[in-house]
Amino acid sequence: MSFTYPKNVPSFDDDQRNYENVYWSRFQKGTGLSNAAGGLFESQTLPLYKDKPYQPSRKRPFWLRKRVFVGASLGLLLLLWILLSRQRTNEDRVWTSWGTFKKPASSGAGWTKKMDAVKAAFELSWDGYERYAWGEDEYYAEARNGKSVAPGGLGYVIVDSLDTLMLMNSSRLPRAREWVAESLSFSKDVEVHSFNATSQVLGGLLSAHYLSTEIPELTAILEDDSGETGEDLYIEKATDLADRLFGAFDSPSKIPYPKIHLDTRIGSVLEKGMSTTMIGHASSMQLEFRYIASLLGEKLFWDAADYNAQNLNAQADSQALVSGLVNVVTGASETSRGELSALTIPYYESLLKQYLQTSRQEPTYWNLWVEALSTIRHSFVALSRSLHLIVLGEAIADESVVAMEEATCRIPGLIALGATGGHTLVEAKKSKSWSPKKDDDITFAKGLMKTCWALYKASPSGLAATRSLIEVISNPPPEKSGMYPPGQDDWKTISKSNVEWKADISLSQEQAHNDQDSSFVESLFYLWRITGNEMYREMGWELFSSYINHTSTVHKDGFVSLSSVLDPSKQKDHMNSLWLSRTLKFFYLLFAPVDLLPLEKVVFTTSGHVFPRFKVPRNFRTASWKQSDKGRTGTVTGPTEESGEMQS
């Protein structure tokens, strides 16, 4: 096999080759190439490819090098982030630290995202309860445990939250329903508080029955009877409980005993020698018993509620006001002075809501509501010193200071609800029954909402105390003076920090707690639906964010009450069931589309459960009893179908 040399073999004897060898040797010595190349060349010999010698890279100044530049840039960004974090509001910090929540826009559009945020808060609270205290009647979110009123629990959390689960279309509903079906029993040798069992458990079962039957698309229906729509489970459980609670009404005065034994069905007083009950509790039980009576056609339940209402009304003074405590044995009030407080406001609320519940067929309740409201506006109104806010409460300290409770913030919503019947303001004003008096009621309600907002914004946490003290002017002008109507955006003025009006409001440590039950959010919901003014939704979003900020647990897996709104770090290790059944429900409805539970077709109980409006069944009493005439000079004629009042 022959071998042929390549044609392009360089000549090693060429003079050019010698020249290149000399040049390479000199270049290597003069530039220190071997050092620059990291010792790659250890000798003076020519590299293999001398025509492609290693060329050392030029060293850049250290500040121009890529690694230094990238590192410095990242450090600068980190410093900027830290500085901005310090300037953020508490709200921003919470939303970014909780992976569960993605903060929507602060105002304006995005209400669906805000609904989702409320639902996320509910499910976070629920999941913690389900994980650590499932079936218990109380939940301590920090300690991660709970306790029950009776062995096995009575559903004070689960049943109380059923309708909220349904309205939110939550995936947690099936397990809650399973617990009701398999674990909930009222056959227990235990005494319970009549009001709590009625409002939380009976009300929760009845509301769940209504939603699962009338609005089945909100629930995962599991039919118990083939061919029948809806679920029998809830009404069957409700009937069993109502039969047991009915014994509470068997008192000498027909005003329900504050306690009832579930097995013996015998009512009793709170303790020996103490025969009183809160009038707000006694009156609030009427909505539940009237609704279940209409469902079952059970006249005994209806009459129990009706006689209770009649005897409670007998305790009203000449101006339709009641005191906070009533004796269930004698039927007499503990004091003769009418009050406006958390003890009595549910009584006034029940007057209006019973009238609406039965589709305005019982004008007696309307008359009582109108008379009581007139007295409240005449006897309990003052103006704050700096901003002339409407203050509603009991005067103390020579009438220069008024004590206003957060429960009072339920009243503006009730006023608007009474004026319009739940219809929008635009629709209501088309009614023949609309009057200047109702215009004035709406104006007053708006002004009172502004004051309630101030109660919340006055504290560092943005949450209201149970009771606030407000300095007022000594001689307030008449309501018609023009000082009462608030401007469209006055709430934004109140939202600003370091303003003079805050000096008018003071809080005492003894009553600075917040138990996660907001009366104000219910009124926000009513005013939004009735007026259509989105500022009430924006106020609600700020309020919801304050709850998220300041009531979250250290574990970030739930929310608890506050011992002091002045210092949010002082928490009470207790999650109020009303946080789930009432507060978060109204937040959700506030941000929801207006066709979800039309306000003119439903009524909400004291605990936030939703019932339909209905006609009084035949052969049932329709509040035909007369109003108490303790010094009354006359009665107010209530609107009826014949008078042109708008019908639901």
Side-chain angles (χ1 to χ4, degrees), residues 246 289 293 297-305 620:
F246 179 70
F289 273 88
E298 181 55 74
K299 194 170 182 295
L300 284 176
F301 290 162
W302 186 275
D303 288 345
F620 279 27

Side-chain angles (χ1 to χ4, degrees), residues 1 74 76 116 134 165 188 265 303 328 395 401 484 487 529 544 546 594 611 625:
M1 180 176 180
L74 291 176
L76 182 62
D116 293 340
W134 184 245
L165 287 164
K188 297 182 186 294
R265 311 183 186 197
D303 288 345
V328 297
V401 175
Y484 284 87
R529 286 286 185 91
F544 173 72
S546 293
V594 295
F611 294 165
W625 40 270

Side-chain angles (χ1 to χ4, degrees), residues 95 100-104 111-123 541 544 548 584 588 591:
W95 289 106
T100 309
F101 295 100
K102 292 182 180 179
K103 182 184 176 184
W111 298 116
T112 300
K113 293 183 179 180
K114 293 177 172 63
M115 284 175 61
D116 293 340
V118 175
K119 181 178 178 179
F122 176 92
E123 292 186 339
W541 180 247
F544 173 72
I548 298 300
L584 289 177
Y588 188 80
F591 305 135

Side-chain angles (χ1 to χ4, degrees), residues 240-296:
D240 180 25
L241 179 59
D243 284 338
R244 298 171 188 276
L245 296 176
F246 179 70
F249 292 91
D250 191 23
S251 72
S253 67
K254 303 304 178 186
I255 297 171
Y257 282 111
K259 297 178 73 174
I260 182 72
H261 193 285
L262 291 180
D263 263 357
T264 65
R265 311 183 186 197
I266 297 175
S268 63
V269 296
L270 288 175
E271 56 186 70
K272 189 174 182 180
M274 182 179 176
S275 301
T276 57
T277 190
M278 296 180 188
I279 199 166
H281 285 180
S283 59
S284 295
M285 296 171 64
Q286 291 160 203
L287 291 175
E288 288 84 358
F289 273 88
R290 285 156 60 91
Y291 180 36
I292 194 171
S294 72
L295 289 172
L296 303 177

Side-chain angles (χ1 to χ4, degrees), residues 189-209:
D189 181 17
V190 64
E191 273 192 329
V192 298
H193 287 278
S194 305
F195 166 73
N196 292 340
T198 300
S199 64
Q200 294 178 247
V201 187
L202 181 59
L205 290 167
L206 292 174
S207 185
H209 170 75

